[in-house]
Amino acid sequence: MDLLQTKGIEKQFLGVKALKGVDFAVKAGEIHALMGENGAGKSTLIKIITGVYPASAGSVYFNGKECKFRSPLDAEHAGISTVYQEVNLLPDLSVAENICIGREPRTKLGFIDKKERKVQARKALARLDIDINVGENLSSYSIAIQQLVAIARALDVDCKLLILDEPTSSLDENEVKELFKVMKKLREEGMAIIFITHFLDQVYEVSDRITILRDGQLVGSYEAKDLPRIEMVAKMIGKTPDEINQMQAGIVKNTKFGDTVYEAKGIGRVGTISPVDVSIREGEQLGLAGLLGSGRSEIAQIIFGVDPHDSGTMTMCGKSVNFNSPQKAVKAKIALIAEDRKVTGIIPDLTIRENIMLALQASKGIWKTMTLKQQEEMAEKYIKLLRIKTPSGEQLIKHLSGGNQQKVLIARWLATNPKLLILDEPTRGIDVGAKAEIEALTQQLCGEGMAVIFISSELEEVVRDCDRVIVLRDRKKVGEVAGSDISLKNVMKLIAG
Amino acid sequence: MNKSSNKFRHLVWPLVSLALLLLFNAIFTDNFFKIEIKKQDSAQAVQAPSGTVESPQPGTSWITPENYESVNDSVEAAANAATEEAGAAAQTVQDSAGQQAAPGKKDGKGVSIFGYYLYGTPIDILNQGSKVMVLAIGMTLVIATGGIDISVGAVMAIAGAIAALLISMLDAGTCIGAGMGPSVYWIIPVLAALVLTTLAGFWNGMLVAGFGIQPMVATLVLMVAGRGVAQLITDGQIITFDNPGLVFLCNGHALFLPFSVWIVVAMYVIFGLLTRKTAFGLFIESVGNNERASRYAGIEARRIKWLTYVICGFCAGMAGLLAASNIKCADSNNAGLNLELDAILATVIGGTSMAGGRFFLSGSLVGAILIQTLTTTMYMKNVSPAIVAVPKAMVVIIVCLLQSPVFRAKVLSIFASKAAKGGVQ
């Protein structure tokens, strides 16, 4: 029997249909992957199941009974726990406090029983085979551990269905393995798990069944072993497998390079990155590869002037430069699309138009204002060019899906007409279709003479797109491969050391 | 929903509240909307800054701590009452000081360029509300960056103190510029006060944007110390003055309206243009909404924040001059007391979020008028000044509730369910 079942779920936002009659079912004791492109309706469906939004039509059955949860807490009491992509815990409280918050054990006098709390927290973590000091502040642990603590907290309630929304996007390979071990263990215990991710490998590694959504509609539910990977992608983006093969083969590397655009000699920052040399020519795509925390993003931050460097020199187009703030880098025609879109990218309450014009206006200063018409034309142009899915440029950016937000950020920087574009994890958390579009776009920009630095955790992307790859390990440059030497094997070898 | 209606949506609830308040007055207060056109008599016209008659003797007076108590009371009353009472109360200040005030019993009040001016409660509200309206401009910009400036009341006191000190020195001829004559030299204290308070704003900006101190703490410094600075300037005394130019700021009339109203209009036009016709407003909203991302987009976030505090200081200076001009004296202890709260309130009522981001200068203007209308209504209904805060708080809560989409949805759903039940029966 199905533990959770939805029938004909519909949801409308301001006249836009986000879900159009979705039937979806999860059995106890299975890991069920929910797949779909950005804006396909995965998050909306989850939010309706957990009571964040009410459904416009349709019903949710849990444990055989029809349920109308009014809040996530409601759902939690019924046995549905959710762990979101961002860790929703309190970093300045201890691990034990985080796990027990809102349901602290009490002493006879009604005070919080601190000893018992630690015991309970340890018990909850032991279920996931984690042994850490529960008295420490949560923030003193890595994101991976924090993520696991969030899961431990979710499991601490009498939980029958666990929903994991993109739990792996901030974890490295080993941490992902740890998480999967835990997930499999929970499956043995008879728990149902809904797993949302953009990493296709991971889907096949742990899932028993796969449900695919597209444009708010159910495409179908399949046994994972019966659904070949290429077919799944095809169903997600609504194309035939042949078309996808063509898309991937369509990437043609640029081979004509111009003059050196940017050159850094021995730039470094104590405690952040050991001195490295970086140089890049017009039309070249340079990859920075390495594990999470190997110093990839740190190099980007130093080049863009976010963090000052304490050694080395930089030249931009032959002129010696020294960026101590992003403003100067922007004026020198460098653009950085940084790693964490929500924190360093979007201005959530501004419109798409305003988000697009922001960097260009910032480089012009306060007084040289663009007219509304110019702004609208610019927004219009990039919405079309990058195929941003939105009714108009006056929509607030926070209402867009992740992939479309990323496209707006790319538009923001393309509008400044940069000579050097740095992309730090531009494809994280966005769907296959948008990924392919972004890859194709960077190639096109290189063809037009732009220099691109490409940072990604997905080595396939780096190998596929880059003309030269700098490999980093433990905040040091450990090697560089170029041209035909670039292969998954060679890069992996360097990373592993 | 089309674009223009979106643009003015934030104004709907404050305006509805204001309309309700005015309706209440229209029904329950006699002659509330009665506006007369008055003509200036010649004796008063002489007092206009354009006049050439000089005061026979220096018109400033110093109030010593001995008779401070009585002054204190009347100052408070003056600050709160309508213009007519204010004029009389200010008169009391001077009388109680036991000093000879300026010639002409009705000096200041009703000074007009064209000889005609409008007179009535709504005009009083605009005149009395001018201080908070001016304050709210700067406060709105600061709040939009995600900050707050709780020092504006104290900064107002500094502005009044320095202006009063300088005008007294000029009247006594002990300051450069005294040779220009009282009809011109009043510009010196005005400029000095504005420069000094702009510097105060610069100081606040330095603490907040330069050193990264939390805005509430950073501006608390000047909120506490500012009145001390003002006391230092005036040597702990209350200085009264009757310079026609300075008095004209808040008591004079031009083009049928109190001159203070024109100051407010000018400030709104200037800062409206500065924020909306340049990219300044966009940058403020961007910084207030996501400071880090704004920095990554190449905006000098610190400089933008800093600038808003400087503007806020300037606005506080202007408000301080209006306050001092209104009661013709500089009282370091009471000038602008608690007005920072009114300014914050006006901003919030106007639809600007305390969290920063989108801001609405026009909304803050309506908010300030709403607060003043409320205060004036209360005095006209003879509510004791001691308990005025209570009904005021209730109205503020109602306005804030009306603005809250959650509250409106709740109320609507209650009505909807009642209607549905009625339908079944």
Side-chain angles (χ1 to χ4, degrees):
Chain A
M1 202 195 78
D2 295 328
L3 178 68
L4 174 91
Q5 204 178 9
T6 73
K7 278 193 183 150
I9 295 285
E10 291 193 10
K11 180 70 192 171
Q12 283 193 323
F13 289 111
L14 303 168
V16 181
K17 273 204 170 171
L19 289 177
K20 304 164 194 164
V22 175
D23 301 333
F24 173 58
V26 184
K27 292 193 190 91
E30 73 166 352
I31 297 179
H32 196 123
L34 186 56
M35 304 292 294
E37 288 198 290
N38 291 304
K42 294 170 306 207
S43 304
T44 314
L45 181 61
I46 293 304
K47 282 178 179 163
I48 287 172
I49 291 174
T50 56
V52 178
Y53 305 140
S56 308
S59 41
V60 178
Y61 298 90
F62 186 64
N63 249 345
K65 276 181 291 185
E66 183 171 359
C67 300
K68 278 210 169 108
F69 300 124
R70 279 202 214 99
S71 69
L73 199 67
D74 235 16
E76 210 174 285
H77 288 313
I80 302 179
S81 290
T82 316
V83 177
Y84 294 97
Q85 188 170 5
E86 299 85 18
V87 180
N88 279 333
L89 294 177
L90 304 157
D92 291 332
L93 294 187
S94 76
V95 172
E97 282 166 327
N98 267 299
I99 289 178
C100 296
I101 200 158
R103 43 172 190 258
E104 288 86 357
R106 303 277 171 173
T107 62
K108 277 175 197 156
L109 290 172
F111 294 112
I112 291 172
D113 189 342
K114 292 188 182 167
K115 262 191 199 156
E116 177 61 21
R117 178 164 65 189
K118 283 192 179 174
V119 173
Q120 284 190 7
R122 257 184 237 119
K123 230 199 276 170
L125 288 170
R127 203 168 161 194
L128 309 183
D129 293 325
I130 309 169
D131 185 20
I132 55 173
N133 181 1
V134 295
E136 284 284 321
N137 274 1
L138 184 70
S139 56
S140 62
Y141 292 106
S142 68
I143 299 285
I145 295 286
Q146 293 185 22
Q147 190 75 266
L148 289 172
V149 169
I151 294 174
R153 179 187 151 69
L155 293 179
D156 198 27
V157 202
D158 192 16
C159 168
K160 297 189 192 77
L161 173 64
L162 178 66
I163 300 172
L164 300 172
D165 189 355
E166 298 266 0
T168 56
S169 60
S170 51
L171 306 188
D172 72 22
E173 228 166 296
N174 281 328
E175 293 166 336
V176 169
K177 267 187 197 139
E178 282 299 309
L179 177 68
F180 284 173
K181 240 199 264 167
V182 170
M183 285 169 67
K184 283 172 185 162
K185 189 170 166 231
L186 294 172
R187 174 173 62 186
E188 309 285 284
E189 292 173 15
M191 190 180 286
I193 298 175
I194 298 177
F195 178 50
I196 299 174
T197 184
H198 280 108
F199 298 98
L200 303 184
D201 297 335
Q202 295 178 357
V203 173
Y204 283 99
E205 212 176 316
V206 289
S207 306
D208 304 310
R209 285 204 300 157
I210 298 171
T211 291
I212 297 171
L213 296 180
R214 188 174 71 233
D215 293 332
Q217 268 166 329
L218 180 77
V219 177
S221 291
Y222 312 89
E223 293 290 325
K225 55 182 189 297
D226 298 339
L227 185 69
R229 194 174 154 142
I230 190 89
E231 234 169 80
M232 174 174 78
V233 175
K235 285 186 197 304
M236 277 167 67
I237 60 179
K239 290 199 165 91
T240 63
D242 290 345
E243 281 175 306
I244 293 171
N245 282 332
Q246 271 172 3
M247 260 165 83
Q248 282 180 342
I251 294 171
V252 185
K253 280 188 191 176
N254 181 37
T255 46
K256 277 180 281 174
F257 304 134
D259 301 332
T260 302
V261 175
Y262 175 87
E263 190 169 19
K265 285 210 172 97
I267 50 163
R269 179 172 157 80
V270 176
T272 305
I273 180 93
S274 314
V276 293
D277 296 342
V278 180
S279 79
I280 184 162
R281 291 164 290 178
E282 280 174 14
E284 190 177 29
Q285 185 156 354
L286 173 69
L288 296 183
L291 297 175
L292 203 71
S294 59
R296 303 175 314 205
S297 303
E298 286 75 2
I299 291 180
Q301 310 264 328
I302 286 176
I303 293 176
F304 196 58
V306 178
D307 291 326
H309 55 107
D310 47 22
S311 65
T313 56
M314 303 190 227
T315 53
M316 181 85 194
C317 298
K319 267 182 271 173
S320 176
V321 288
N322 185 9
F323 306 133
N324 50 18
S325 69
Q327 290 82 35
K328 289 193 180 160
V330 172
K331 279 192 181 139
K333 297 235 168 272
I334 296 180
L336 168 68
I337 296 170
E339 190 178 16
D340 197 336
R341 191 168 52 232
K342 284 218 170 94
V343 179
T344 56
I346 62 165
I347 317 284
D349 287 332
L350 295 190
T351 63
I352 294 169
R353 166 177 60 80
E354 287 167 322
N355 266 289
I356 289 178
M357 68 171 284
L358 203 59
L360 181 60
Q361 184 65 60
S363 67
K364 286 181 172 196
I366 286 177
W367 301 106
K368 283 185 216 150
T369 321
M370 282 181 276
T371 64
L372 190 62
K373 206 172 157 225
Q374 283 172 324
Q375 296 174 21
E376 277 166 354
E377 278 169 8
M378 194 165 86
E380 204 60 33
K381 177 180 144 197
Y382 284 106
I383 287 172
K384 247 187 224 149
L385 185 75
L386 301 178
R387 272 174 288 181
I388 299 168
K389 262 192 214 165
T390 170
S392 89
E394 298 306 312
Q395 182 97 345
L396 299 187
I397 193 172
K398 66 179 174 190
H399 295 321
L400 294 185
S401 66
N404 283 312
Q405 288 181 356
Q406 189 70 290
K407 285 181 183 174
V408 172
L409 294 183
I410 292 174
R412 174 192 290 174
W413 289 109
L414 290 186
T416 65
N417 196 15
K419 288 193 176 113
L420 171 61
L421 175 66
I422 308 170
L423 297 154
D424 192 355
E425 298 277 11
T427 58
R428 174 187 290 173
I430 68 174
D431 58 73
V432 202
K435 254 180 205 176
E437 280 180 69
I438 287 174
E439 283 181 59
L441 181 74
T442 56
Q443 292 301 336
Q444 188 197 332
L445 292 170
C446 284
E448 289 163 12
M450 197 181 286
V452 175
I453 294 180
F454 187 79
I455 301 172
S456 176
S457 299
E458 290 182 53
L459 287 181
E460 290 92 346
E461 280 178 14
V462 176
V463 169
R464 191 158 60 222
D465 297 334
C466 295
D467 307 306
R468 200 149 52 85
V469 178
I470 290 178
V471 181
L472 300 153
R473 186 188 339 126
D474 298 337
R475 299 163 191 269
K476 271 194 214 101
K477 178 173 172 180
V478 290
E480 192 171 319
V481 283
S484 55
D485 288 343
I486 302 178
S487 71
L488 210 53
K489 207 173 118 205
N490 284 347
V491 175
M492 293 267 252
K493 241 194 234 161
L494 281 169
I495 289 177
Chain B
M1 200 164 288
N2 64 33
K3 246 198 283 181
S4 63
S5 75
N6 260 334
K7 224 171 172 179
F8 296 106
R9 207 195 309 175
H10 64 280
L11 279 178
V12 170
W13 292 109
L15 280 176
V16 166
S17 316
L18 185 59
L20 286 176
L21 201 55
L22 293 177
L23 188 70
F24 171 85
N25 277 310
I27 298 169
F28 296 106
T29 312
D30 294 332
N31 296 331
F32 185 81
F33 286 106
K34 195 176 163 205
I35 294 178
E36 296 167 57
I37 297 179
K38 289 208 170 178
K39 193 184 187 326
Q40 206 58 56
D41 61 51
S42 55
Q44 288 162 345
V46 167
Q47 291 289 322
S50 51
T52 48
V53 180
E54 288 205 18
S55 300
Q57 62 190 78
T60 42
S61 64
W62 295 66
I63 294 170
T64 48
E66 286 85 74
N67 52 17
Y68 176 74
E69 271 309 307
S70 62
V71 174
N72 203 6
D73 289 341
S74 43
V75 166
E76 202 168 274
N80 290 327
T83 311
E84 181 120 41
E85 296 157 50
Q91 211 62 54
T92 330
V93 173
Q94 294 177 335
D95 293 344
S96 65
Q99 300 276 334
Q100 209 214 303
K105 276 282 163 195
K106 284 175 163 181
D107 60 334
K109 180 167 80 76
V111 176
S112 167
I113 286 177
F114 294 123
Y116 292 98
Y117 63 92
L118 298 175
Y119 176 85
T121 313
I123 308 295
D124 281 345
I125 288 172
L126 290 179
N127 192 13
Q128 289 298 317
S130 58
K131 284 162 283 183
V132 175
M133 288 192 237
V134 170
L135 278 184
I137 298 173
M139 191 62 81
T140 303
L141 300 185
V142 166
I143 286 180
T145 64
I148 196 161
D149 185 348
I150 54 171
S151 71
V152 288
V155 171
M156 280 175 70
I158 296 181
I162 191 73
L165 176 76
L166 281 177
I167 203 75
S168 73
M169 286 165 70
L170 285 164
D171 284 345
T174 55
C175 179
I176 310 162
M180 287 189 281
S183 58
V184 178
Y185 66 46
W186 58 273
I187 203 85
I188 294 174
V190 167
L191 289 180
L194 291 178
V195 167
L196 196 66
T197 55
T198 306
L199 276 177
F202 186 85
W203 162 266
N204 281 333
M206 184 176 73
L207 293 183
V208 174
F211 298 132
I213 300 174
Q214 287 188 345
M216 187 75 90
V217 179
T219 54
L220 184 67
V221 173
L222 204 54
M223 181 190 180
V224 176
R227 293 202 183 271
V229 172
Q231 296 272 16
L232 268 178
I233 293 171
T234 60
D235 204 15
Q237 292 175 321
I238 295 170
I239 308 174
T240 65
F241 53 84
D242 69 343
N243 178 284
L246 219 46
V247 169
F248 185 79
L249 285 180
C250 201
N251 296 303
H253 288 76
L255 296 172
F256 302 110
L257 287 174
F259 187 64
S260 59
V261 175
W262 294 115
I263 291 180
V264 172
V265 170
M267 301 266 291
Y268 269 90
V269 169
I270 290 169
F271 288 106
L273 290 178
L274 179 69
T275 51
R276 293 306 179 195
K277 289 290 153 193
T278 72
F280 188 43
L282 176 70
F283 289 173
I284 289 176
E285 290 178 340
S286 174
V287 169
N289 199 216
N290 187 345
E291 184 175 351
R292 213 165 137 206
S294 303
R295 206 166 96 82
Y296 272 74
I299 296 170
E300 306 246 21
R302 284 184 357 176
R303 205 176 287 179
I304 297 289
K305 275 165 87 176
W306 202 320
L307 203 52
T308 60
Y309 284 92
V310 171
I311 291 173
C312 195
F314 176 82
C315 291
M318 189 53 94
L321 285 172
L322 288 175
S325 164
N326 190 15
I327 57 171
K328 294 175 224 163
C329 78
D331 175 359
S332 306
N333 278 318
N334 295 299
L337 195 63
N338 294 339
L339 279 197
E340 58 273 351
L341 301 181
D342 278 0
I344 293 167
L345 208 55
T347 306
V348 174
I349 289 176
T352 304
S353 160
M354 290 288 284
R358 292 282 188 207
F359 68 89
F360 308 98
L361 284 179
S362 53
S364 304
L365 183 71
V366 175
I369 294 174
L370 179 66
I371 293 173
Q372 187 59 44
T373 310
L374 194 56
T375 312
T376 305
T377 306
M378 232 92 73
Y379 285 121
M380 293 182 80
K381 292 274 121 201
N382 287 327
V383 178
S384 147
I387 61 156
V388 146
V390 178
K392 204 166 156 184
M394 292 196 299
V395 173
V396 167
I397 289 173
I398 292 170
V399 175
C400 291
L401 283 178
L402 279 177
Q403 279 184 323
S404 149
V406 178
F407 178 80
R408 288 207 304 267
K410 283 245 160 87
V411 171
L412 282 179
S413 73
I414 289 170
F415 278 119
S417 69
K418 270 191 185 162
K421 271 181 200 163
V424 170
Q425 285 165 355

